Every structure is written in structure tokens, then in C-alpha cells.
């Protein structure tokens, strides 16, 4: 199983997954996920053009072509928004489709000419097409991206949280934004052979969304997103190697999205289950306090703190069956049932000492 | 120092005009805020109060006019200026602790490639103590109430130890206790010789909280010591249609 190809693919997938998780964190926090999708799709015409011009799948030629196309797309979005007053999401959607369509047209043209086998790799990605020779430039470029990010860490943090505040302190926010977008574009281009232009955005966003659920700070989020990305990458590579011929990119994406879904569901503070649980707890404790307060109130009305309230009266007062709540309160030692002589069929309850104390406590 | 223009004025604005999409939002603003005052900027909705602050800080490009802070262009006086944006202008679900946010106040002076160290953290803690949030330093900001968020933002400005503070609606949507705390904090800043400029929305409290008043409705309606500016005529000129309401407010305030 551990063929050299698999090792190459797994290494590349781990690297790209981690890098995408790191940069994707900034995309997600700045609410720019769609921009990542636009850059990915828009790189296709650049990739094909670079292929046609350079006559091969050379790493740096492809990188340059994709970056140029991505930059043109970014400028088009700006022009549509500022120049023509198009709303941001519409501008992003139009530019994405335009560049992707242009890319597909170029791609089909290139294929009719022949000699361009392997270009479709860039649509959905094909991990097996990653060569050992690609690993070193991939690591160098990816490492470069991370170094820039680490050097400008506090600036990018400020930018992501409060761009206006950052500008007020004199940080060159516009230039930092361009630089951050450039780093994201480079990351996307590095991942194209693995995930393809269509699915790349998921590798950026899913690990970041997953990581956000578990952390309280930006640095932990970025580290965890890198870990999740690397896990999804290697996991996808290994799974697709076991299932002979299953495309690696989509499996990586599925793995990343699965991590995100689990995190959304299970994270201790922010997860859906934890929130549900907190709400249920709050409702339960509110219910319990309501019943205790009603019992206490009945006692006060009768000027008898030891007064035993009829369960049917509590039902009527609360507009719901008080039985389960009373049973729980009894288990917790706050109330106890009382039998009264003339009413053998009725269930009456009185507050215990603990119940009275709980009722008087300011908040529980 | 070369080319100081009006150095004795904390914030000097001349002929400032800002427009959005060919429509003037601020028109021909001439404004002088002397040092050591606590000034309110008031005016009806859409009067351009926030835009004025942003234009002074260079966050919104003016089409005409100039701004000087202690005689210097704003770009050269950044270290003497602190800015508290509206609380709602950021996403409080951002993964950061209270300390992280206060430290951001020092990023402008810290310089490239330098990370906040022990000295910076001590400063941040001191600023948090000033706003009564010292026990919250490690708290994620997503768990704060509105009033606590506002205090954290103010701490981020205090840590800059600036001479001129701009605050955009710091009392909006906070509870009465927090409002009182913020006011006494800002008065203490003024008493320490700093200049405080606050966009304020509550006419009833203007006279109690502030000693300098700028009344704005796209143009400057009036500016000066509160006692001179806070008059029925000026309020009428600034607020126009909302006059009936203002009349009752005046009565309530005088009573």
C-alpha cells in the first residue's frame, strides 16, 4: 500500500490541507469565503493559457498564469462594485462565472488541438498527477506564504478584527488586504492540482469553520485549522488510494466537511448539542423554580409555610403537567409528597427545608 | 517641527467637505476644538456625526478641506490620537480574548515585526483596570455583554495614552451603570489634560456630561462652550422637524 506515489500524494495533500486551513481562517473570519471561490474559479483561464503558452505543466508557469487571471478577476470585481455600483455578492457571482466559463472554453479549444492531456486535472484535481518533483517547490512556496503570514501576524489579526481601527492607527490597511489576498491566491493555486478549481474553496473554508468551534483565540484557531486541513488531506489521499481510482480531491473535501460537521455538532462551548443542552438545562431549572415558587406562594397565601399544595392546583397554575417536574424535585430533595386525611386520592406536595432555601437563593 | 498650523488647537478643521455619490454629507465644516475639553458632537440622524469623526481621522476621504491635530496633519499625529469606533462596527464573535483586543491599541506604535511582550501586557492590564474589566482579560470577547464590549473598546483607546480621543456613540445601548462609569472615566481623562470628543445621541444628558458642544447637521450649526451653544434656537436649527420633541426635552432638562 505504501507506494512512493501514495507517499508523495499524502505529503502534498497534508501540506496543502494545512496551508489552506491557515489562510482559510482569515477568509472565514473576514466574511470573504466567496472571494476564495472566485479566485479559485477565475484561475482556470490563467492555468490553461499558461499551459498553451509554455507548452507544459511547469509549476511556476502555471502559478504565474493562475495568479494573473486571479488578479484580473479581483480587479473586475472592484470595477463592478466601485465603478458600476453592483452589489458585492452579485459582482463576485458574475466574475466567478465569467472567468470559469472563459476557462472551460479555452480548455475545450486546447483539447481539440491535442497535446493537452491532463489539463482537465485542474477542474476537479487529481492527486496522482502530483509529481515528486513538485513537492519541493510546493513546500518552498507554501513555506514562504507562512513566513509572510507569521511576520505580519499582528497586523493581519488587527485587519481581520477591525480594519477601520487598524487604519485609524495608521496601518496601511489597503496594502495589507492586497497582500493577504495574494497569499490566499497563492495557496489556492498550489492546491489546484489536488482539489481543482471547483472544490478548492472547501479546503479553505471547512477546516477553518471546524477549528473556530473549538477555540477562543486566533492563534489556536489557525493551528487547529492547519491540523484539520492536514488530517483531511492525508485522510483523503489514503482513502482514495484504498478505493482504487477514487478521485483524491473530492475525498479530501468530504473529509474536511465531515470534520466541520462534527465540530459544528459536538464542540463543547459553541456546538449545536452543547447549545441545545444549555437551553434545555435553563428551561428545566426555570421550570423547577416555577414549581417551587408556586408552592411557596401557596404557602404564603395560606399563611402557612408548611402548606402542602395540591398537584392538580399546580397543574392548573402552570398550564402544564407538573408531575415530571415534581418527581425530579423530589429526587433532588426539594419537595416531598404529603398524605392528607380527608383527600386520599389527591397528591399534595410540600417544600422541604432544602426547597425553601433554594427558593430564597438569589439565583441558581 | 515645521509647518505647524494652529498648534494651540487640539483639533482644527477647515473647509472640510465630504460627499457620497455626488451628494455632500458634510459641507464646509470649520471646526476648532480647544485642548482639555470634553466635547460632544450632536445632531439628528444622518447629520454626518460619525462621518465627521471618520473624515477627521482620514478614514473617509474628504473632497475638500484640511485637518490639523495639534498643528500637524493627522497622518503625522496618529500616535497622539485614539479612536473608539461604534461597538457594532466589528464582529464580536471573532476568536480573541479581551486582552488580545486591548493589545491591538498598541499595534500602531509597536512597529513592524514586533510582538506585544510583557511591558505591553502590563499596559493592557492597567487599561482594563481603568475600565473595571481587570478580571476579564482572558475572557473570549464573544461572551461579553454590550456594556462590557464598550469598556473593552475604551480600554483599547486608553492604552494608547493619546492626547486626543474620539469616541463614536460610546453610550449607545449600554446600561445606566456602564454609562455613568464611562462618563466619569472620560471626565478623568479630560481632567488629566486630554481632549475628548464624543459623538453623542442623548440631548438630555449633554449639559451634564460635556463642557464643549458641536452641533452638526451636514454643516456646523453652532460650536462652543455648552452653556453658550445649548440654546433653543440652535436646537431648532439643528433638529428642525423634530422640534416638538426637543421642546419637551428642554423643559425636562430645565426642571
Amino acid at each position: 500500500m505504501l507506494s512512493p506515489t501514495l507517499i508523495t500524494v499524502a505529503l502534498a495533500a497534508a501540506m496543502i490541507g494545512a496551508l489552506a486551513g491557515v489562510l482559510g481562517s482569515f477568509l472565514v473570519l473576514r466574511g470573504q469565503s466567496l472571494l476564495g471561490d472566485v479566485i479559485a474559479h477565475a484561475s482556470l483561464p490563467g492555468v490553461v493559457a499558461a499551459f498553451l503558452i509554455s507548452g507544459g505543466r511547469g509549476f511556476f508557469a502555471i502559478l504565474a498564469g493562475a495568479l494573473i487571471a486571479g488578479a484580473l478577476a479581483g480587479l473586475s470585481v472592484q470595477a463592478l462594485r466601485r465603478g458600476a455600483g453592483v452589489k458585492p455578492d452579485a459582482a463576485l457571482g458574475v466574475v466567478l462565472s465569467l472567468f470559469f466559463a472563459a476557462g472551460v472554453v479555452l480548455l475545450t479549444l486546447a483539447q481539440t488541438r491535442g497535446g493537452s492531456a491532463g489539463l482537465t486535472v485542474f477542474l476537479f484535481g487529481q492527486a496522482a498527477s502530483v509529481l515528486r518533483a513538485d513537492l519541493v517547490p510546493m513546500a518552498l512556496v507554501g513555506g514562504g506564504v507562512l513566513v509572510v503570514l507569521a511576520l505580519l501576524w499582528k497586523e493581519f489579526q488587527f485587519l481581520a478584527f477591525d480594519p477601520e481601527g487598524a487604519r485609524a492607527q495608521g496601518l496601511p490597511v489597503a496594502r495589507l488586504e492586497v497582500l493577504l489576498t495574494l497569499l490566499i491566491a497563492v495557496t489556492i493555486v498550489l492546491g489546484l492540482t489536488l482539489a481543482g478549481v471547483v472544490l478548492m474553496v472547501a479546503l479553505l473554508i471547512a477546516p477553518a469553520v471546524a477549528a473556530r468551534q473549538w477555540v477562543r483565540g486566533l492563534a489556536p484557531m489557525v493551528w487547529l485549522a492547519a491540523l484539520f486541513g492536514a488530517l483531511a488531506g492525508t485522510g483523503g489521499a489514503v482513502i482514495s488510494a484504498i478505493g482504487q481510482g477514487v478521485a483524491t480531491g473530492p475525498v479530501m473535501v468530504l473529509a474536511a466537511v465531515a470534520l466541520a460537521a462534527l465540530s459544528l455538532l459536538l464542540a463543547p462551548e459553541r456546538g449545536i448539542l452543547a447549545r441545545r443542552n444549555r437551553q434545555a438545562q435553563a428551561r428545566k431549572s426555570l421550570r423547577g423554580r416555577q414549581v417551587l415558587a408556586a408552592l411557596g406562594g401557596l404557602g404564603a397565601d395560606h399563611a402557612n409555610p408548611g402548606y402542602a399544595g395540591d398537584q392538580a392546583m399546580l397543574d392548573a397554575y402552570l398550564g402544564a403537567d407538573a408531575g415530571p417536574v415534581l418527581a425530579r424535585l423530589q429526587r433532588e430533595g426539594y419537595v416531598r409528597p404529603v398524605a392528607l386525611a380527608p383527600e386520599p386520592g389527591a397528591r399534595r406536595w410540600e417544600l422541604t427545608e432544602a426547597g425553601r432555601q433554594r427558593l430564597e437563593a438569589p439565583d441558581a | 517641527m515645521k509647518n505647524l498650523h494652529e498648534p494651540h488647537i487640539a483639533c482644527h478643521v477647515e473647509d472640510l467637505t465630504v460627499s457620497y455619490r455626488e451628494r455632500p454629507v458634510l459641507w464646509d465644516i470649520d471646526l476648532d476644538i480647544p485642548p482639555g475639553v470634553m466635547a460632544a458632537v450632536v445632531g439628528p440622524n444622518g447629520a454626518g456625526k460619525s462621518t465627521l469623526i471618520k473624515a477627521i481621522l482620514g478614514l473617509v476621504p474628504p473632497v475638500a478641506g484640511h485637518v490639523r491635530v495639534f498643528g500637524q496633519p493627522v497622518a503625522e499625529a496618529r500616535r497622539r490620537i485614539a479612536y473608539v469606533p461604534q461597538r457594532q462596527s466589528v464582529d464580536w464573535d471573532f476568536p480573541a480574548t479581551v486582552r488580545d483586543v486591548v493589545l491591538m491599541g498598541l499595534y500602531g506604535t509597536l512597529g513592524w515585526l514586533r510582538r506585544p511582550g510583557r511591558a505591553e501586557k502590563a499596559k493592557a492590564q492597567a487599561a482594563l483596570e481603568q475600565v473595571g474589566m481587570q478580571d476579564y482579560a482572558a475572557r473570549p470577547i464573544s461572551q461579553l455583554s454590550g456594556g462590557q464590549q464598550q469598556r473593552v473598546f475604551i480600554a483599547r483607546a486608553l492604552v494608547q495614552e493619546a492626547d486626543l480621543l474620539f469616541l463614536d456613540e460610546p453610550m449607545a445601548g449600554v446600561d445606566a451603570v456602564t454609562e455613568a462609569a464611562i462618563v466619569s472615566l472620560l471626565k478623568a481623562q479630560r481632567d488629566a489634560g486630554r481632549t475628548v470628543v464624543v459623538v453623542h445621541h442623548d440631548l438630555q444628558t449633554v449639559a451634564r456630561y460635556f463642557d464643549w458642544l458641536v452641533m452638526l447637521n451636514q454643516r456646523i450649526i453652532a460650536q462652543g462652550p455648552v452653556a453658550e451653544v445649548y440654546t433653543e434656537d440652535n436646537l431648532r436649527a439643528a433638529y428642525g422637524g423634530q422640534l416638538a420633541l426637543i421642546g419637551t426635552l428642554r423643559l425636562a432638562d430645565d426642571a
Side-chain angles (χ1 to χ4, degrees):
Chain A
M1 284 308 292
L2 270 181
S3 66
T5 325
L6 178 58
I7 292 173
T8 303
V9 169
L11 273 177
M15 240 165 18
I16 297 305
L19 192 64
V22 170
L23 274 301
S25 299
F26 287 90
L27 265 189
V28 167
L29 290 175
R30 300 185 69 212
Q32 289 189 325
S33 303
L34 192 54
L35 179 68
D37 206 18
V38 171
I39 296 174
H41 279 79
S43 63
L44 186 62
V47 168
V48 180
F51 181 89
L52 290 177
I53 293 167
S54 73
R57 270 185 45 214
F59 183 82
F60 287 103
I62 296 284
L63 188 69
L67 281 181
I68 291 169
L72 281 177
L75 289 175
S76 313
V77 172
Q78 288 287 329
L80 279 176
R81 283 182 54 189
R82 302 244 165 96
V86 180
K87 294 236 184 295
D89 60 328
L92 288 167
V94 165
V95 170
L96 183 153
S97 320
L98 173 72
F99 276 74
F100 186 59
V104 173
V105 169
L106 264 184
L107 191 66
T108 42
L109 281 180
Q111 280 174 327
T112 54
R113 291 213 193 138
S116 59
L119 259 186
T120 47
V121 162
F122 291 106
L123 276 179
F124 298 108
Q126 194 182 68
S129 68
V130 178
L131 306 173
R132 267 192 76 184
D134 290 341
L135 280 180
V136 172
M138 209 179 241
L140 285 178
V141 175
V145 167
L146 290 180
V147 167
V148 174
L149 190 79
L151 288 178
L152 295 175
W153 174 263
K154 74 176 192 299
E155 282 79 12
F156 285 137
Q157 180 196 28
F158 204 171
L159 175 71
F161 175 61
D162 183 7
E164 214 156 57
R167 272 178 72 200
Q169 285 196 26
L171 294 184
V173 165
R175 266 178 264 172
L176 286 168
E177 276 179 340
V178 170
L179 182 59
L180 185 58
T181 309
L182 186 71
L183 296 182
I184 288 166
V186 170
T187 304
I188 289 171
V189 175
L190 286 181
L192 285 186
T193 44
L194 276 170
V197 298
V198 179
L199 293 174
M200 187 58 208
V201 69
L203 285 190
L204 287 162
I205 295 169
V209 168
R212 175 67 191 97
Q213 290 297 104
W214 303 90
V215 300
R216 296 172 155 201
L218 181 60
M221 172 170 169
V222 165
W223 281 111
L224 193 58
L227 179 69
F228 281 158
L231 274 179
T234 36
V238 170
I239 292 170
S240 75
I242 293 168
Q244 297 285 321
V246 178
T248 316
V251 177
M252 280 172 72
V253 169
L254 287 179
V257 173
L259 279 172
L262 284 175
S263 302
L264 288 172
L265 202 62
L266 299 178
E269 255 174 46
R270 307 168 54 92
I272 292 169
L273 288 184
R275 284 183 203 205
R276 280 269 172 86
N277 207 7
R278 270 202 305 277
Q279 281 170 0
Q281 287 291 344
R283 221 174 293 136
K284 246 168 101 178
S285 119
L286 182 67
R287 253 344 205 172
R289 285 185 72 80
Q290 278 178 334
V291 169
L292 290 178
L295 268 176
L298 278 170
D301 285 352
H302 288 80
N304 171 14
Y307 179 78
D310 193 312
Q311 187 173 331
M313 282 174 75
L314 291 173
D315 290 347
Y317 178 74
L318 295 168
D321 182 10
V325 185
L326 283 165
R328 181 166 57 78
L329 290 171
Q330 185 186 3
R331 276 200 307 280
E332 288 166 5
Y334 295 127
V335 298
R336 60 173 163 256
V338 185
L340 277 190
E343 301 175 355
R347 283 177 71 75
R348 282 184 175 258
W349 298 83
E350 65 177 7
L351 290 172
T352 63
E353 192 50 40
R356 250 187 292 279
Q357 273 170 14
R358 189 179 145 98
L359 192 55
E360 278 155 21
D363 198 43
Chain B
M1 283 290 166
K2 56 185 165 82
N3 289 335
L4 284 186
H5 173 63
E6 306 283 8
H8 55 285
I9 297 172
C11 179
H12 166 76
V13 178
E14 207 171 312
D15 299 343
L16 186 77
T17 299
V18 175
S19 71
Y20 278 137
R21 297 187 176 266
E22 296 104 37
R23 287 178 85 184
V25 186
L26 291 174
W27 181 253
D28 197 11
I29 303 286
D30 291 327
L31 179 69
D32 285 313
I33 294 176
V37 300
M38 180 154 152
V41 178
V42 301
N45 288 334
K49 303 182 292 283
S50 295
T51 308
L52 174 61
I53 303 295
K54 287 181 185 175
I56 289 173
L57 291 166
L59 303 178
V60 170
V63 293
H66 66 255
V67 176
R68 291 290 181 276
V69 168
F70 299 108
Q72 290 177 295
V74 169
E76 291 164 30
R78 293 255 180 236
R79 296 190 178 188
R80 304 185 68 177
I81 307 173
Y83 170 50
V84 179
Q86 287 190 14
R87 187 159 51 82
Q88 298 90 335
S89 67
V90 302
D91 174 13
W92 288 91
D93 199 36
F94 192 85
T97 61
V98 166
R99 182 189 290 112
D100 292 339
V101 172
V102 177
L103 282 172
M104 286 178 194
L106 296 168
Y107 283 6
T109 48
L110 204 50
W112 300 100
L113 309 184
R114 279 198 53 211
R115 294 280 174 87
R118 193 172 297 168
E120 283 75 22
K121 279 175 187 156
K123 278 189 186 179
Q125 192 61 32
L128 281 173
E129 266 165 42
Q130 274 182 279
V131 299
M133 293 280 290
Q134 61 276 10
D135 299 333
Y136 291 79
R139 206 50 100 75
I141 57 170
S142 55
Q143 291 178 7
L144 300 180
S145 71
Q148 291 169 336
Q149 291 171 356
Q150 194 65 63
R151 289 180 200 219
V152 170
F153 253 16
I154 293 176
R156 187 180 77 176
L158 292 181
V159 80
Q160 291 177 249
E161 296 177 332
D163 298 315
L164 175 59
L165 282 93
F166 291 99
L167 299 93
D168 198 345
E169 303 243 5
M171 267 80 98
V174 305
D175 55 285
V177 178
T178 304
E179 176 162 334
I182 290 174
V183 169
S184 67
L185 189 77
L186 295 179
K187 283 185 173 168
Q189 292 294 308
R190 176 200 57 196
D191 295 342
R194 296 182 168 137
T195 311
V196 182
V197 181
V198 179
V199 172
H200 195 60
H201 64 288
D202 184 4
L203 283 174
Q204 280 185 308
T205 52
V206 164
R208 250 189 300 141
Y209 291 170
F210 300 95
D211 50 24
W212 194 267
L213 184 58
V214 176
M215 236 180 246
L216 185 75
N217 192 350
Q218 296 195 357
R219 300 172 300 116
I220 295 284
I221 305 295
Q223 57 179 314
V226 170
E228 289 170 27
V229 174
Y230 193 70
T231 65
E232 187 117 21
D233 281 348
N234 283 337
L235 286 166
R236 202 184 299 272
Y239 285 81
Q242 297 166 31
L243 191 66
L245 181 64
I246 292 159
T248 57
L249 288 183
R250 280 286 295 171
L251 289 176
D253 210 39
D254 289 343

